[in-house]
């Protein structure tokens, strides 16, 4: 029996994961019901994807683990393989097959965890309690399914030939996509400027002082005016401080930048601190001739990454 014969459910908790489910359904010609966690931008993203004809079945919002939905579907499309909730659900329910969607650049880290190149733990996070204890069980459940041909990764990220080979050795298939559905259904977009700066959650995540972040944004604005797209987790106070800077044109999208910028009518000059969006947008904007640049903060200075 092929995986296409299994009833599927997409268990997602971020807009990018939800977009991945739409891309998977489009690529496989299948309608996928959604169990979507109630986080920032999820409702707006789901509504917009449905309006664009995303191949979604029933969409059920949830908090915690959607036990009943998972128990009644044998094929799970999972947005976050490192999640403690996924580890618990996979250990208890034992799905017949699993497709791992993108959770930002963690797609690469998760592949390394399955291969054994790295611990089965979210990079940069100290884990404790039940999450840590069930990690080996969850990993073995996934690997057992892989040995039976029941695990694959559906990703926009380049895993590298050696990593793909090692995944294949343990039975995990990897399939890349280039946001075909997102590009085909994009809505026309005309921004105030062709220069775009992507907002970041580094401040709210404790990875950068707000004063340093604002100095960086101000420095970008001193070069040329730009359209600022806030990160979905940026606090309102930070967004207001950015919008008050000379040369900044605030644009609230309410959906992932991949969905918004796919509809551009002109080449864009996109600037961002380190982010998985740099990879995803390189695929989405490839036909437009846009330029995408990464900035890295080195103390008070900025480094441009080609």
């Amino acid at each position: 029996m092929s995986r296409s014969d299994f009833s599927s459910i997409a268990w997602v908790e971020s807009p990018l994961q939800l977009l991945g489910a739409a891309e998977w359904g489009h690529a496989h010609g299948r309608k996928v019901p959604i169990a979507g966690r109630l986080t920032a931008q999820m409702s707006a993203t789901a509504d917009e994807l449905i309006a664009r004809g995303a191949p979604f079945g029933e969409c059920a919002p949830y908090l915690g683990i959607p036990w009943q939905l998972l128990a009644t579907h044998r094929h799970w499309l999972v947005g976050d393989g490192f999640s403690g909730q996924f580890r618990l659900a996979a250990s208890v329910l034992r799905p017949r097959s699993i497709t791992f969607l993108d959770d930002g650049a963690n797609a690469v880290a998760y592949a390394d965890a399955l291969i054994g190149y790295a611990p089965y733990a979210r990079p940069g996070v100290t884990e404790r309690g039940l999450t840590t204890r069930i990690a080996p069980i969850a990993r073995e459940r996934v690997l057992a399914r892989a040995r039976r041909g029941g695990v694959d990764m559906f990703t926009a990220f380049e895993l590298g030939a050696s990593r793909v080979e090692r995944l294949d050795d343990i039975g995990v298939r990897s399939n890349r996509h280039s946001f075909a559905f997102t590009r085909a259904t994009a809505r026309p977009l005309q921004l105030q400027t062709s220069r775009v700066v992507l907002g970041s959650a580094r401040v709210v995540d404790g990875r950068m002082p707000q004063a340093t972040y604002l100095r960086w944004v101000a420095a970008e604005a001193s070069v040329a005016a730009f359209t600022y797209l806030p990160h979905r987790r940026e606090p309102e106070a930070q967004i207001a401080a950015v919008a008050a800077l000379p040369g900044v044109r605030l644009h609230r999208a309410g959906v992932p930048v991949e969905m918004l910028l796919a509809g551009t009518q002109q080449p864009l000059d996109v600037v961002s601190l380190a982010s998985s969006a740099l990879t995803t947008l390189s695929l989405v904007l490839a036909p437009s001739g846009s330029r995408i640049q990464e900035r890295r903060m080195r103390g008070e200075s900025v480094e441009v990454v080609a």
Side-chain angles (χ1 to χ4, degrees):
M1 180 179 290
S2 70
R3 191 168 317 180
S4 62
D5 297 319
F6 298 164
S7 59
S8 302
I9 183 77
W11 180 14
V12 293
E13 59 181 34
S14 76
L16 181 62
Q17 295 172 22
L18 187 60
L19 187 54
E23 292 290 347
W24 186 91
H26 173 76
H28 292 81
R30 298 187 58 192
K31 183 170 287 190
V32 186
I34 303 293
R37 189 174 181 183
L38 294 173
T39 58
Q41 284 190 1
M42 282 292 281
S43 295
T45 300
D47 290 344
E48 178 62 18
L49 284 170
I50 291 170
R52 295 187 187 192
F56 290 163
E58 181 179 356
C59 295
Y62 77 93
L63 294 171
I65 300 175
W67 289 106
Q68 186 173 359
L69 286 171
L70 295 174
T72 54
H73 294 83
R74 294 189 293 169
H75 175 209
W76 299 356
L77 285 81
V78 175
D80 184 1
F82 285 124
S83 164
Q85 292 182 343
F86 164 72
R87 296 178 195 183
L88 179 58
S91 299
V92 173
L93 296 178
R94 304 186 183 188
R96 180 72 175 271
S97 62
I98 307 171
T99 295
F100 291 102
L101 306 172
D102 283 332
D103 182 35
N106 273 344
V108 177
Y110 192 72
D112 285 344
L114 292 181
I115 294 168
Y117 287 172
Y120 194 101
R122 195 185 308 279
V125 175
T126 302
E127 299 182 345
R128 299 180 178 85
L130 180 62
T131 297
T132 301
R133 292 196 294 273
I134 64 174
I137 301 173
R139 181 176 182 271
E140 180 51 39
R141 292 281 188 268
V142 172
L143 294 179
R145 290 287 171 258
R147 289 191 288 270
R148 295 174 174 82
V151 176
D152 72 301
M153 299 185 69
F154 184 75
T155 179
F157 291 81
E158 174 59 63
L159 299 179
S162 62
R163 191 177 281 110
V164 168
E165 183 177 353
R166 287 291 295 118
L167 286 170
D168 189 63
D169 288 343
I170 62 174
V172 178
R173 290 170 290 179
S174 56
N175 302 286
R176 287 197 74 193
H177 72 88
S178 59
F179 293 97
F181 173 82
T182 301
R183 289 183 283 109
T185 61
R187 300 196 188 280
L189 172 71
Q190 190 67 50
L191 297 174
Q192 293 184 63
T193 69
S194 61
R195 192 161 185 260
V196 175
V197 171
L198 304 184
S200 172
R202 284 174 171 264
V203 175
V204 72
D205 288 341
R207 300 171 63 191
M208 178 183 288
Q210 181 168 295
T212 302
Y213 183 79
L214 293 176
R215 279 196 295 272
W216 166 65
V217 177
E220 294 292 345
S222 70
V223 174
F226 60 76
T227 300
Y228 185 79
L229 304 180
H231 189 279
R232 67 188 182 96
R233 292 193 290 110
E234 271 189 86
E236 284 299 321
Q238 179 173 307
I239 295 173
V242 169
L245 295 170
V248 176
R249 311 288 187 265
L250 180 65
H251 185 101
R252 294 180 182 270
V255 296
V257 292
E258 294 83 2
M259 292 176 63
L260 175 73
L261 297 183
T264 183
Q265 305 299 296
Q266 58 184 328
L268 299 176
D269 184 6
V270 181
V271 175
S272 174
L273 296 176
S275 168
S276 61
L278 293 163
T279 297
T280 56
L281 285 178
S282 68
L283 298 172
V284 171
L285 295 176
S288 72
S290 296
R291 182 175 68 160
I292 301 173
Q293 291 184 298
E294 178 183 349
R295 300 286 198 257
R296 287 181 183 169
M297 300 298 298
R298 300 293 186 187
E300 297 300 312
S301 63
V302 178
E303 176 187 358
V304 179
V305 182

